[in-house]
Amino acid sequence: MKSEIISVGTELLLGEIVDTNAAYLSQRMAEIGVDVHQRQTVGDNLQRLTAAIETALGRADVVILIGGLGPTDDDLTREAISAATGRPLVRVPASEQRLREFFAARNRVVAESNLKQCDVPSGGHHLENVCGTAPGVFVEHEGKLIFALPGPPPEFREMLQRSVLPMLRERLGPANVLYSRSLLLTEIGESQVADMLGDLISAQTDPTIAMYASPALVRVRLATKAADQAEADRKFAPLEAHIRQVLGAHVLGADDETMPVVVGKLLRERGATLAVAESCTGGLIASRITDVAGASDYFMTGVVAYANETKQRLLRVNESTLRDHGAVSEACAREMAQGVRKLSGTTYGLATTGIAGPGGGTPEKPVGLVYVAVADDNGTVVIEQTWPSTREQFKARVSEMALALLRKRLLGAV
Amino acid sequence: MKSEIISVGTELLLGEIVDTNAAYLSQRMAEIGVDVHQRQTVGDNLQRLTAAIETALGRADVVILIGGLGPTDDDLTREAISAATGRPLVRVPASEQRLREFFAARNRVVAESNLKQCDVPSGGHHLENVCGTAPGVFVEHEGKLIFALPGPPPEFREMLQRSVLPMLRERLGPANVLYSRSLLLTEIGESQVADMLGDLISAQTDPTIAMYASPALVRVRLATKAADQAEADRKFAPLEAHIRQVLGAHVLGADDETMPVVVGKLLRERGATLAVAESCTGGLIASRITDVAGASDYFMTGVVAYANETKQRLLRVNESTLRDHGAVSEACAREMAQGVRKLSGTTYGLATTGIAGPGGGTPEKPVGLVYVAVADDNGTVVIEQTWPSTREQFKARVSEMALALLRKRLLGAV
């Protein structure tokens, strides 16, 4: 089954918004095994939008439009489907009643413009919108399926999940549904993974294996068509076991097990607690840890010690350390980790100190230099790294590096 | 001048990556006054890509392709331009020499596949890539301009700025260049702005005025065509003054003057310093403040007091306050702000305590309840708000709300 996506809206062509809906829809289509062979982006222009739908109907089995279903004159998706299929727009009484009730409940008057949202190309029907006023549109035309969904992401996603995906899954039949499982890797580069898994990746046909790299993370994705999740899991299991054996502790977790989730799980399992002292990461490590619900079970204290005085007064870093080695030094990182641990009475203390830039670098201590330390009952480990990059990238990388160090300490690897 | 963008790559159609390049390019086109009338997204398929280029050449003056310039068999953009224009690919000796030198310097062997990057459709030329190995492509064909740029965002943006935009600006002539200025608004909703500026927005033709809303911020954008920045500034000035007068302190700043930037500027101007005590925001306020280069001039200390014990021990919140009012209370927020200020000896202390959820809510204190406090020599101000949302949205909104409170204190408005 081949599909085509048409994103509608002049704001997209002006670059005012990034088209995350199209990427989200593409992912969902890939997951259920529907091939997205092309995408188009068209402004709020009836003639071009109609032509885009005609083109898509000529080469795809399923056409999904996103946006252009609102009440204003600029919203032309219903009209364009009508023009492209030759099906006149007809009013749906049930939709009109629902809209009138919606407005009455809010003491608002229904304008004539609002009512056009109650129209549908003849032979089609509406898809319920539980988050907004614009219903979606479904038309089956000469054996092709046409869907139109509203553009606001919460409405779009809800309607996709509730109405569109179940219809497509049903038409595809269960054996054609694609399942996937991603393994998230840490402290290893894309080329190293390619070296270690290269033969496996090129020889493997079902499940397929693909590798994706982002600045923070390499991901290995297994995908297979199966009747249900249990069958997919049975197909993934031996392959996942093999990859985990080859890559060892580089495998951070699966699917949504990111670094803060994995570290939180390890801390909770061990009944351990954590305090963090941050200089160059400026609170980002604490913020990422507390993005995980339930973090209060193990995360006690964060100290953002930007000023040297804060390092001394709160974290008890020695004045002589700052004088002799500077704030960006192995000794300072060590004392920060130990200091925040003692201050909070936690199992672990984690610390960062470095030069984020763009200012503050010297020939001996360049922009990008960073020390990360973890302290516990058994002692303190400090690592040094140099990562010249933008300020935000630096903070992101160092926060990941610090959590990776803590993970290794929790696993007994350092 | 009409343009069309073609994004190339199967990874886009699988939703593995979001097409931020297309949005970025659309913005730059809008800025210089080139109309992007349509976008296409095509996979790594020679036939479909060739057809997409033919279609685009039939309706646009400028066609810009993004991606598909790498060395692998999947990279087909050069081949498709050649097929669509009937111009055979020819090797460019200078490009081949540069590539061989690049590889020699890294002790790597040049594979035959690498050399195809040195080809260009006849009559065209290469655009230098200073960040990678794949040069861009430019061909003028029957009066139409065709550009092809590499997909990795740093390479794409660099080449766009260095090679493509100057060529397009030159062809457009100076009077056709679009300049814009955005005013960022705080603590006001989209509909309120529409009420206050509605007449102005609908009556205004040059500069144009448009309003954009995101969850965190409303933005009013002025745009005009001018010979240079100075002329544009002269056209913006009276309109901006009028809007600033109508909206008063709701105008946070212009262009990139976000909340952390504006607060940092105010603190620096006054020679004031800041310490932050965070509970529910978990370090996000400190992290946003330290995203701004030079924040160490005014930001001294952050304390993430997730545990009650940390609130007591570090911030000197009274045991009786926690017992009688709880950690999420006006009294606790007040004592946290005063405590972190005293601890750090700063001009200002800022504090947050709330229930981010999804767990932890009660009928009296529901998920989304938050107290934010600012303390200085003149006393302490606490505000209460309820914002039920996802954990990450809650943290983002509360961090903005806290910085907005500090800004008002700095301006003497509370």
Side-chain angles (χ1 to χ4, degrees):
Chain A
M1 194 185 273
K2 283 204 302 188
S3 73
E4 180 152 348
I5 298 171
I6 303 176
S7 301
V8 184
T10 299
E11 68 278 19
L12 290 165
L13 294 180
L14 289 171
E16 299 290 352
I17 55 175
V18 175
D19 194 356
T20 54
N21 283 338
Y24 182 85
L25 176 55
S26 299
Q27 276 179 15
R28 299 294 85 73
M29 292 289 110
E31 278 168 11
I32 66 169
V34 174
D35 177 32
V36 178
H37 78 120
Q38 205 141 341
R39 294 200 312 233
Q40 299 184 69
T41 308
V42 191
D44 302 313
N45 176 299
L46 185 59
Q47 193 189 336
R48 285 186 207 141
L49 184 51
T50 303
I53 297 170
E54 286 166 353
T55 303
L57 285 172
R59 58 193 183 192
D61 309 302
V62 181
V63 177
I64 305 183
L65 295 110
I66 310 171
L69 292 179
T72 75
D73 290 345
D74 280 352
D75 294 304
L76 297 164
T77 297
R78 275 175 299 265
E79 289 78 356
I81 297 173
S82 168
T85 59
R87 293 168 178 263
L89 289 171
V90 294
R91 182 121 329 157
V92 179
S95 297
E96 180 170 348
Q97 195 190 333
R98 198 174 303 121
L99 190 81
R100 289 194 184 278
E101 283 166 7
F102 180 93
F103 275 76
R106 285 158 184 77
N107 288 315
R108 284 166 55 194
V109 178
V110 180
E112 186 56 35
S113 61
N114 292 123
L115 287 176
K116 74 175 207 167
Q117 297 188 320
C118 308
D119 294 345
V120 76
S122 66
H125 65 79
H126 276 148
L127 308 173
E128 190 188 359
N129 185 342
V130 298
C131 318
T133 61
V137 170
F138 169 72
V139 186
E140 187 158 3
H141 178 72
E142 297 176 356
K144 312 262 172 155
L145 311 184
I146 306 171
F147 295 91
L149 286 82
E155 300 178 33
F156 164 74
R157 292 184 183 202
E158 206 284 331
M159 194 178 289
L160 181 69
Q161 296 288 351
R162 172 196 292 259
S163 302
V164 180
L165 295 181
M167 283 176 71
L168 291 176
R169 274 180 193 269
E170 202 188 305
R171 300 227 174 201
L172 284 163
N176 278 317
V177 175
L178 194 77
Y179 292 87
S180 74
R181 182 163 176 84
S182 286
L183 296 175
L184 310 184
L185 309 182
T186 177
E187 302 194 280
I188 189 167
E190 194 180 6
S191 59
Q192 256 182 294
V193 179
D195 283 349
M196 293 169 81
L197 296 183
D199 294 343
L200 189 69
I201 291 177
S202 50
Q204 185 70 28
T205 55
D206 181 33
T208 57
I209 310 183
M211 193 169 61
Y212 303 98
S214 64
L217 200 77
V218 175
R219 205 154 53 88
V220 173
R221 181 171 177 269
L222 314 182
T224 191
K225 291 188 177 176
D228 54 27
Q229 184 72 54
E231 190 197 331
D233 287 346
R234 277 193 301 277
K235 292 169 83 173
F236 292 146
L239 200 56
E240 178 173 344
H242 180 77
I243 294 170
R244 283 183 181 269
Q245 200 197 336
V246 172
L247 295 175
H250 290 301
V251 179
L252 178 61
D255 298 328
D256 58 356
E257 294 176 327
T258 58
M259 192 61 89
V261 171
V262 168
V263 166
K265 200 188 271 185
L266 288 170
L267 287 166
R268 184 180 279 120
E269 278 171 13
R270 285 156 176 70
T273 54
L274 174 66
V276 176
E278 305 184 57
S279 184
C280 60
T281 45
L284 183 60
I285 297 177
S287 186
R288 290 185 62 200
I289 291 171
T290 60
D291 279 344
V292 180
S296 52
D297 292 348
Y298 45 81
F299 181 63
M300 300 297 123
T301 308
V303 172
V304 183
Y306 236 51
N308 277 349
E309 213 185 307
T310 305
K311 294 186 182 78
Q312 285 178 251
R313 197 161 5 155
L314 257 74
L315 301 175
R316 304 287 171 209
V317 171
N318 289 308
E319 200 185 333
S320 62
T321 302
L322 295 171
R323 191 184 55 227
D324 299 343
H325 303 281
V328 180
S329 64
E330 180 171 338
C332 184
R334 179 185 304 273
E335 291 178 24
M336 286 172 70
Q338 292 168 346
V340 80
R341 178 173 178 256
K342 195 166 167 199
L343 179 73
S344 321
T346 49
T347 323
Y348 294 94
L350 187 64
T352 62
T353 181
I355 302 166
T362 65
E364 295 76 37
K365 296 188 177 180
V367 166
L369 176 66
V370 64
Y371 294 90
V372 170
V374 61
D376 63 14
D377 260 350
N378 298 315
T380 306
V381 176
V382 189
I383 54 175
E384 179 193 314
Q385 184 69 264
T386 306
W387 263 336
S389 50
T390 68
R391 198 173 169 86
E392 287 184 39
Q393 281 177 327
F394 177 81
K395 285 177 65 180
R397 283 174 153 187
V398 173
S399 78
E400 189 75 7
M401 170 189 171
L403 290 169
L405 178 64
L406 172 60
R407 171 174 172 262
K408 281 193 282 194
R409 190 68 167 182
L410 280 157
L411 295 174
V414 288
Chain B
M1 193 184 277
K2 282 206 300 189
S3 72
E4 180 152 347
I5 298 170
I6 303 177
S7 301
V8 184
T10 299
E11 68 278 17
L12 291 165
L13 294 180
L14 288 171
E16 299 290 352
I17 54 173
V18 174
D19 194 357
T20 52
N21 282 338
Y24 182 85
L25 175 55
S26 298
Q27 275 179 19
R28 298 296 84 74
M29 291 291 109
E31 279 169 12
I32 65 170
V34 174
D35 177 31
V36 178
H37 78 119
Q38 204 140 342
R39 295 200 311 234
Q40 299 184 69
T41 309
V42 191
D44 302 314
N45 176 300
L46 184 59
Q47 194 188 337
R48 286 188 206 138
L49 184 51
T50 304
I53 297 170
E54 285 167 354
T55 303
L57 285 172
R59 59 193 182 192
D61 310 304
V62 180
V63 177
I64 305 183
L65 295 110
I66 311 171
L69 291 179
T72 76
D73 290 346
D74 280 353
D75 293 304
L76 297 164
T77 297
R78 275 175 299 265
E79 289 79 356
I81 297 173
S82 168
T85 59
R87 293 169 179 264
L89 290 172
V90 293
R91 182 121 327 157
V92 180
S95 298
E96 179 171 346
Q97 194 189 336
R98 199 175 302 120
L99 190 81
R100 290 193 183 279
E101 283 165 7
F102 181 92
F103 275 76
R106 284 157 185 78
N107 286 314
R108 285 166 54 194
V109 179
V110 179
E112 186 55 35
S113 59
N114 291 123
L115 287 175
K116 73 176 209 167
Q117 297 187 320
C118 308
D119 294 345
V120 75
S122 66
H125 65 80
H126 276 148
L127 309 172
E128 191 187 359
N129 185 340
V130 297
C131 317
T133 60
V137 171
F138 169 73
V139 186
E140 186 158 6
H141 177 72
E142 296 174 357
K144 312 262 173 153
L145 310 184
I146 306 172
F147 296 91
L149 287 81
E155 299 177 34
F156 164 74
R157 293 185 183 202
E158 206 284 331
M159 196 179 289
L160 182 69
Q161 297 288 353
R162 172 197 293 257
S163 302
V164 180
L165 296 180
M167 282 176 71
L168 291 176
R169 275 182 193 268
E170 202 188 304
R171 300 228 174 198
L172 284 163
N176 277 316
V177 175
L178 193 76
Y179 292 87
S180 73
R181 183 163 175 83
S182 286
L183 296 174
L184 309 183
L185 309 182
T186 178
E187 301 194 282
I188 188 166
E190 195 180 5
S191 59
Q192 255 182 295
V193 180
D195 283 349
M196 294 170 80
L197 295 183
D199 293 345
L200 188 69
I201 290 178
S202 50
Q204 185 70 27
T205 55
D206 182 32
T208 57
I209 311 183
M211 191 170 60
Y212 303 98
S214 64
L217 202 76
V218 175
R219 205 155 54 88
V220 173
R221 181 171 177 269
L222 314 181
T224 191
K225 290 187 178 178
D228 54 27
Q229 185 70 54
E231 190 198 333
D233 288 345
R234 277 194 301 277
K235 291 170 83 174
F236 293 145
L239 199 54
E240 178 173 344
H242 179 77
I243 294 170
R244 282 183 180 269
Q245 199 196 337
V246 172
L247 295 175
H250 290 301
V251 178
L252 179 62
D255 299 328
D256 58 356
E257 293 175 325
T258 59
M259 191 62 87
V261 170
V262 168
V263 166
K265 199 188 271 183
L266 288 169
L267 287 166
R268 184 180 279 119
E269 278 170 13
R270 286 156 176 70
T273 54
L274 174 66
V276 176
E278 304 185 59
S279 184
C280 60
T281 44
L284 182 61
I285 297 176
S287 185
R288 291 185 62 199
I289 291 170
T290 59
D291 279 344
V292 180
S296 53
D297 292 348
Y298 46 82
F299 181 63
M300 299 296 123
T301 307
V303 171
V304 183
Y306 235 51
N308 276 351
E309 213 184 306
T310 305
K311 294 185 182 80
Q312 284 178 251
R313 200 166 358 162
L314 256 74
L315 302 175
R316 304 286 169 210
V317 171
N318 289 308
E319 201 185 334
S320 62
T321 302
L322 294 171
R323 191 182 56 228
D324 300 342
H325 303 281
V328 180
S329 64
E330 179 170 341
C332 184
R334 179 185 305 274
E335 291 178 25
M336 286 172 70
Q338 292 168 345
V340 80
R341 175 171 180 258
K342 195 166 166 200
L343 178 73
S344 320
T346 49
T347 324
Y348 294 95
L350 188 64
T352 62
T353 180
I355 303 168
T362 65
E364 295 76 37
K365 295 188 177 180
V367 166
L369 176 68
V370 63
Y371 295 90
V372 170
V374 62
D376 63 15
D377 260 350
N378 298 317
T380 306
V381 176
V382 189
I383 55 175
E384 181 194 313
Q385 184 67 261
T386 306
W387 263 338
S389 51
T390 67
R391 197 174 170 87
E392 286 184 40
Q393 281 177 327
F394 177 81
K395 285 177 64 180
R397 282 173 156 189
V398 174
S399 77
E400 189 75 8
M401 171 189 170
L403 291 169
L405 178 65
L406 173 60
R407 171 175 172 262
K408 281 193 283 195
R409 190 69 168 182
L410 281 157
L411 295 174
V414 289

